[in-house]
Amino acid sequence: MRTPENTYILVVDDDHDIVNAIAKLLEKEDYNVIKAYNGIEAIDCLMQNEVHLILIDVMMPKLDGLSAMMKIRTMKNIPIIVLSAKSEDSDKILGLSMGADDYITKPYNPMELLARVNSNLRRYFSLGAADSAKRKNCVEIGGLTLDRDEKQIYLDGEPVKLTATEYKITALLMENAGRVFSAEEIYSRVWNEESFSVENTVMVHIRHIREKIEINPKDPRYLKVVWGIGYKIEKGNSK
């Protein structure tokens, strides 16, 4: 169950006093706070830390809040609350249309700010958005997971050490689970060149992949040979 103790909030404002005041407010509720003072720092913090909600000012040096928010939206689907001295309806509409989930004007009421934070986090976690954000670019087949963002294959939660070519073959088969690929098609897709007498080349890579993802490579659970046709990864309980 998600609790404040394992929830991280990024607070972004070029006014250090405001950042510290918000941090104290959130830390009293046991939230973990990460601080940034411009849009560039915010993006850096987001890349280096697990963050579940962002509170961000609009007018900041180096990279303003709205521009930062647009970049963040290409990477993350976490709640973003804009904190701004601009109180016109047009400003609020602009902020919301550019990707904000909520908009609070300064000076803010601390209790309202806290209520908005709690509300956005509750919605984020209760609707499963946090899990879907983490898993939306993954393919799961039994205990095998393809993380497209990380370019990594996991087996029962542990990373599998594949070469770049082995990863590409495994990813191709997982993304098309149940479909049989001939050696020629695998070669042309992975090597990006025309195939000619490539059966042995592909077969060697398939054998190495099996040794890394199968408990018993001679009786594979995932990577199957369809004799005389090609190779496939079983659909199983793919997600």
Side-chain angles (χ1 to χ4, degrees):
M1 180 179 176
R2 178 65 57 176
T3 62
E5 290 89 341
N6 55 21
T7 300
Y8 288 80
I9 298 174
L10 174 61
V11 180
V12 192
D13 198 306
D14 60 328
D15 187 322
H16 288 230
D17 290 337
I18 289 177
V19 171
N20 290 333
I22 294 174
K24 282 185 180 179
L25 177 68
L26 296 172
E27 287 166 350
K28 280 184 180 178
E29 300 298 315
D30 294 326
Y31 287 116
N32 298 288
V33 176
I34 302 166
K35 301 175 182 179
Y37 303 102
N38 60 63
I40 293 174
E41 287 184 13
I43 292 170
D44 288 343
C45 287
L46 197 62
M47 299 296 290
Q48 297 170 23
N49 301 275
E50 182 178 15
V51 175
H52 303 105
L53 181 142
I54 301 173
L55 283 161
I56 190 166
D57 183 31
V58 173
M59 302 298 291
M60 293 185 295
K62 296 186 180 180
L63 186 67
D64 67 84
L66 296 183
S67 298
M69 185 168 62
M70 290 179 68
K71 290 181 179 292
I72 290 166
R73 275 289 171 248
T74 66
M75 302 182 291
K76 302 285 184 179
N77 193 35
I78 57 178
I80 300 176
I81 300 176
V82 169
L83 267 176
S84 176
K86 295 185 174 183
S87 58
E88 296 293 327
D89 286 343
S90 58
D91 296 315
K92 295 179 182 180
I93 291 168
L94 178 62
L96 294 168
S97 66
M98 291 179 72
D101 296 278
D102 213 338
Y103 194 106
I104 301 176
T105 56
K106 299 177 183 177
Y108 61 87
N109 180 311
M111 291 302 100
E112 180 189 358
L113 174 62
L114 193 56
R116 299 280 190 98
V117 166
N118 291 335
S119 175
N120 277 276
L121 284 171
R122 187 165 55 247
R123 188 181 310 117
Y124 179 59
F125 291 120
S126 67
L127 294 179
D131 287 338
S132 65
K134 186 178 288 186
R135 296 170 52 184
K136 69 179 180 180
N137 218 15
C138 292
V139 177
E140 297 178 19
I141 300 173
L144 206 58
T145 301
L146 160 65
D147 189 318
R148 296 187 185 99
D149 292 331
E150 294 182 5
K151 300 289 189 291
Q152 176 67 57
I153 306 292
Y154 293 89
L155 178 62
D156 296 327
E158 294 296 321
V160 181
K161 294 182 179 179
L162 299 173
T163 66
T165 300
E166 289 166 1
Y167 168 81
K168 289 177 182 177
I169 293 172
T170 309
L172 172 66
L173 297 178
M174 287 186 70
E175 289 172 336
N176 298 275
R179 179 183 165 187
V180 180
F181 285 84
S182 67
E184 290 77 13
E185 188 172 5
I186 291 173
Y187 189 90
S188 64
R189 288 205 182 200
V190 171
W191 277 264
N192 290 317
E193 54 187 58
E194 288 191 24
S195 57
F196 180 74
S197 300
V198 297
E199 178 65 39
N200 288 339
T201 300
V202 173
M203 185 173 62
V204 168
H205 284 85
I206 292 290
R207 186 176 74 244
H208 289 162
I209 294 167
R210 272 183 166 174
E211 290 169 354
K212 295 175 181 181
I213 69 171
E214 303 286 1
I215 295 174
N216 181 2
K218 293 182 179 180
D219 183 21
R221 175 184 176 190
Y222 301 109
L223 185 43
K224 306 278 190 176
V225 174
V226 181
W227 294 109
I229 302 176
Y231 306 92
K232 70 173 181 176
I233 280 184
E234 294 280 31
K235 274 188 177 180
N237 57 337
S238 58
K239 298 180 183 177

